[in-house]
PDB file of all heavy atoms in Angstrom:
ATOM      1  N   PHE I   5     -39.173 -54.553  80.928  1.00 34.00           N
ATOM      2  CA  PHE I   5     -37.975 -54.729  80.086  1.00 34.00           C
ATOM      3  C   PHE I   5     -36.686 -55.051  80.961  1.00 34.00           C
ATOM      4  O   PHE I   5     -35.817 -55.690  80.513  1.00 34.00           O
ATOM      5  CB  PHE I   5     -37.730 -53.532  79.179  1.00 34.00           C
ATOM      6  CG  PHE I   5     -38.779 -53.322  78.150  1.00 34.00           C
ATOM      7  CD1 PHE I   5     -39.762 -52.399  78.292  1.00 34.00           C
ATOM      8  CD2 PHE I   5     -38.816 -54.069  77.066  1.00 34.00           C
ATOM      9  CE1 PHE I   5     -40.682 -52.297  77.379  1.00 34.00           C
ATOM     10  CE2 PHE I   5     -39.767 -53.888  76.038  1.00 34.00           C
ATOM     11  CZ  PHE I   5     -40.768 -53.017  76.144  1.00 34.00           C
ATOM     12  N   ARG I  74     -52.280 -76.946  87.150  1.00 76.00           N
ATOM     13  CA  ARG I  74     -52.869 -78.328  87.214  1.00 76.00           C
ATOM     14  C   ARG I  74     -54.302 -78.237  87.813  1.00 76.00           C
ATOM     15  O   ARG I  74     -55.203 -78.871  87.176  1.00 76.00           O
ATOM     16  CB  ARG I  74     -51.989 -79.259  88.029  1.00 76.00           C
ATOM     17  CG  ARG I  74     -50.656 -79.476  87.481  1.00 76.00           C
ATOM     18  CD  ARG I  74     -50.635 -80.120  86.110  1.00 76.00           C
ATOM     19  NE  ARG I  74     -49.311 -80.254  85.524  1.00 76.00           N
ATOM     20  CZ  ARG I  74     -49.070 -80.731  84.332  1.00 76.00           C
ATOM     21  NH1 ARG I  74     -50.033 -80.995  83.457  1.00 76.00           N
ATOM     22  NH2 ARG I  74     -47.846 -80.820  83.860  1.00 76.00           N
ATOM     23  N   ILE I  89     -57.027 -61.724  70.155  1.00 96.00           N
ATOM     24  CA  ILE I  89     -56.807 -63.233  70.214  1.00 96.00           C
ATOM     25  C   ILE I  89     -57.513 -63.732  69.038  1.00 96.00           C
ATOM     26  O   ILE I  89     -58.712 -63.620  68.890  1.00 96.00           O
ATOM     27  CB  ILE I  89     -57.298 -63.747  71.422  1.00 96.00           C
ATOM     28  CG1 ILE I  89     -56.525 -63.170  72.695  1.00 96.00           C
ATOM     29  CG2 ILE I  89     -57.182 -65.318  71.536  1.00 96.00           C
ATOM     30  CD1 ILE I  89     -57.072 -63.448  74.088  1.00 96.00           C
ATOM     31  N   LEU I 109     -65.521 -73.016  87.219  1.00 95.00           N
ATOM     32  CA  LEU I 109     -65.604 -71.998  86.104  1.00 95.00           C
ATOM     33  C   LEU I 109     -67.009 -71.700  85.667  1.00 95.00           C
ATOM     34  O   LEU I 109     -67.565 -72.626  85.054  1.00 95.00           O
ATOM     35  CB  LEU I 109     -64.641 -72.441  84.970  1.00 95.00           C
ATOM     36  CG  LEU I 109     -64.508 -71.383  83.882  1.00 95.00           C
ATOM     37  CD1 LEU I 109     -63.827 -70.108  84.411  1.00 95.00           C
ATOM     38  CD2 LEU I 109     -63.745 -71.972  82.740  1.00 95.00           C
ATOM     39  N   GLU I 122     -63.757 -71.995  63.165  1.00 96.00           N
ATOM     40  CA  GLU I 122     -62.984 -73.144  63.578  1.00 96.00           C
ATOM     41  C   GLU I 122     -62.648 -73.034  65.115  1.00 96.00           C
ATOM     42  O   GLU I 122     -62.601 -74.008  65.829  1.00 96.00           O
ATOM     43  CB  GLU I 122     -61.675 -73.203  62.768  1.00 96.00           C
ATOM     44  CG  GLU I 122     -61.858 -73.726  61.435  1.00 96.00           C
ATOM     45  CD  GLU I 122     -62.569 -75.105  61.390  1.00 96.00           C
ATOM     46  OE1 GLU I 122     -62.167 -75.990  62.251  1.00 96.00           O
ATOM     47  OE2 GLU I 122     -63.501 -75.365  60.500  1.00 96.00           O
ATOM     48  N   THR I 228     -88.007 -63.302  63.411  1.00 83.00           N
ATOM     49  CA  THR I 228     -89.008 -63.220  64.470  1.00 83.00           C
ATOM     50  C   THR I 228     -89.105 -64.484  65.247  1.00 83.00           C
ATOM     51  O   THR I 228     -89.498 -64.474  66.374  1.00 83.00           O
ATOM     52  CB  THR I 228     -90.330 -62.756  63.857  1.00 83.00           C
ATOM     53  OG1 THR I 228     -90.753 -63.888  62.942  1.00 83.00           O
ATOM     54  CG2 THR I 228     -90.260 -61.492  63.201  1.00 83.00           C
TER      55      THR I 228
END
Side-chain angles (χ1 to χ4, degrees):
F5 290 103
R74 301 296 179 186
I89 300 169
L109 183 66
E122 287 301 318
T228 59

